[in-house]
Amino acid sequence: MPITTFKATAHLQEGVVVKVRSRDFEFIIDEPKSLGGTDTGMNPVEAVLGALGACQSIVARVYAKKFNIRLDDFWVEVEGDLDLDGFFKKSDVRPGYSDIRYNFHIKTDAPKEQVEEFVQFLEQTCPVGDTIANHVNLKLNGIIIEN
């Protein structure tokens, strides 16, 4: 398959509220009041965790039949550790997550060995997990000054 390019725009609104759009969809990103926001949406780092869990869930749904696993229910709990001193430039720690952990909750009648093989495949196949775990080329493409 050829490379597919996905696109999104993030448009700053009032305060730190950001309207994110991709294709015909949009959602709001904000910060909690404790971090200067109005708490009208999850913040960017929470969205990253949600995107990871959502991606893992979609991979599970798409590939369950290949592994002969009936998913009666599936959900992912995701948590990450982030030192805010990095963002606020109070120390030399990185501003991003240092650790991300997740638990898969799988309701199925499949045997444990089969589920473990399936989970290993999920971890290797999820594009968001791969993006977080491995180096990705991130570069500013341009600066457009509008009057």
Side-chain angles (χ1 to χ4, degrees):
M1 271 187 145
I3 292 176
T4 302
T5 301
F6 293 89
K7 297 180 180 183
T9 60
H11 190 170
L12 184 62
Q13 307 293 296
E14 194 68 31
V16 295
V17 173
V18 178
K19 187 180 291 185
V20 179
R21 290 189 174 139
S22 183
R23 296 182 290 133
D24 294 328
F25 304 98
E26 70 179 38
F27 62 95
I28 297 296
I29 295 280
D30 194 5
E31 290 288 346
K33 291 179 182 177
S34 63
L35 293 174
T38 56
D39 207 21
T40 58
M42 66 180 81
N43 70 20
V45 294
E46 292 166 330
V48 167
L49 298 178
L52 174 61
C55 187
Q56 292 167 327
S57 298
I58 290 168
V59 173
R61 176 67 73 208
V62 169
Y63 285 99
K65 285 184 184 178
K66 178 182 177 184
F67 286 83
N68 295 317
I69 292 183
R70 188 182 80 230
L71 293 179
D72 295 323
D73 202 0
F74 185 94
W75 73 97
V76 185
E77 290 176 294
V78 188
E79 65 181 14
D81 300 328
L82 192 143
D83 189 335
L84 290 177
D85 282 353
F87 174 73
F88 290 113
K89 301 297 182 195
K90 292 181 178 179
S91 74
D92 288 337
V93 298
R94 62 182 292 206
Y97 282 115
S98 59
D99 294 283
I100 295 176
R101 297 169 299 282
Y102 52 90
N103 292 309
F104 290 152
H105 294 261
I106 305 170
K107 185 175 180 183
T108 185
D109 59 359
K112 183 179 180 184
E113 298 78 25
Q114 194 173 345
V115 171
E116 288 173 345
E117 182 182 345
F118 177 56
V119 165
Q120 184 178 9
F121 176 84
L122 292 181
E123 292 184 293
Q124 295 170 351
T125 307
C126 170
V128 175
D130 178 75
T131 300
I132 292 169
N134 296 293
H135 178 76
V136 63
N137 296 320
L138 179 65
K139 68 175 187 171
L140 175 64
N141 202 36
I143 300 170
I144 300 157
I145 299 174
E146 299 188 12
N147 295 318

